[in-house]
Amino acid sequence: RYVEIKHGRICQLAFLGQVVTRGGLHLPGDIDYSGDSFDSFPNGIAAIIGPDSIPTAGLVQIIAFIGWLECAFMRDVSGTGNEHIGDFRNGYI
């Protein structure tokens, strides 16, 4: 049950990110040391597949970071103040 709630929250964040970037809002600054800015990459699936996509090493870093968050913080740890199913604060907030 808590996995369904967690995945629903991830989908909501993905949708919000899609709406914001398609609306033209991007993070300021550069995404890497070679000077590529955040708005130099396309929106949506074109950011993953295509001629101007994010490099493979960047995608691996993103996936590794999400996996680390999933294993380290987004767990249902009983006895740490969880008030309801899907409460993943685990004493951090």
Side-chain angles (χ1 to χ4, degrees):
R1 166 119 183 161
Y2 72 92
V3 174
E4 293 173 7
I5 294 171
K6 182 169 43 173
H7 289 163
R9 290 176 183 167
I10 292 169
C11 290
Q12 290 171 359
L13 287 172
F15 176 77
L16 183 63
Q18 190 67 243
V19 169
V20 168
T21 55
R22 296 240 182 216
L25 293 172
H26 297 276
L27 293 173
D30 296 332
I31 195 169
D32 57 12
Y33 292 122
S34 64
D36 295 325
S37 63
F38 283 97
D39 59 354
S40 67
F41 294 102
N43 298 326
I45 194 70
I48 299 173
I49 304 169
D52 296 329
S53 64
I54 298 172
T56 305
L59 290 175
V60 169
Q61 289 177 4
I62 292 169
I63 292 170
F65 179 67
I66 292 170
W68 177 73
L69 286 175
E70 183 85 20
C71 294
F73 297 104
M74 297 184 72
R75 298 180 296 150
D76 191 16
V77 180
S78 56
T80 56
N82 298 345
E83 298 174 10
H84 49 80
I85 295 175
D87 183 5
F88 298 117
R89 294 178 291 177
N90 295 332
Y92 292 111
I93 298 177

